[in-house]
Amino acid sequence: HVFNINQVEDLIKEIKSDRDILRLALSFEKDSIVFFHEFKNMGNKAAQEVIEDLINQERGHIKKISEIAKSL
């Protein structure tokens, strides 16, 4: 859903709380990881390294968002 703007707009309308925002953010991060994994092996070694870095960044975002969610 992260790449479908119409669906994102519908999801935003359903947000009622901070937890809802964080759940949506986690979903986006996870979708991004899946998206990057699909392309990872299509490029050369340098491209694969960049994509792996992006995947690791998304994992870091998931960790941060999860920590925030625990504090609510």
Side-chain angles (χ1 to χ4, degrees), residues 6-62:
N6 294 326
Q7 190 174 7
V8 170
E9 289 173 355
D10 291 340
L11 291 170
I12 289 171
K13 291 176 189 174
E14 296 176 12
I15 293 174
K16 306 291 184 226
S17 69
D18 291 345
R19 288 192 185 278
D20 291 342
I21 293 168
L22 295 174
R23 270 193 287 272
L24 183 59
L26 281 172
S27 180
F28 285 161
E29 298 297 341
K30 290 175 183 178
D31 285 351
S32 294
I33 289 172
V34 170
F35 180 80
F36 290 136
H37 269 291
E38 289 297 317
F39 290 102
K40 184 175 175 186
N41 294 321
M42 293 182 181
N44 61 26
K45 179 83 170 154
Q48 290 174 3
E49 289 174 2
V50 169
I51 292 171
E52 187 62 33
D53 286 343
L54 291 170
I55 290 168
N56 288 331
Q57 287 178 29
E58 300 305 317
R59 287 182 178 137
H61 299 159
I62 289 171

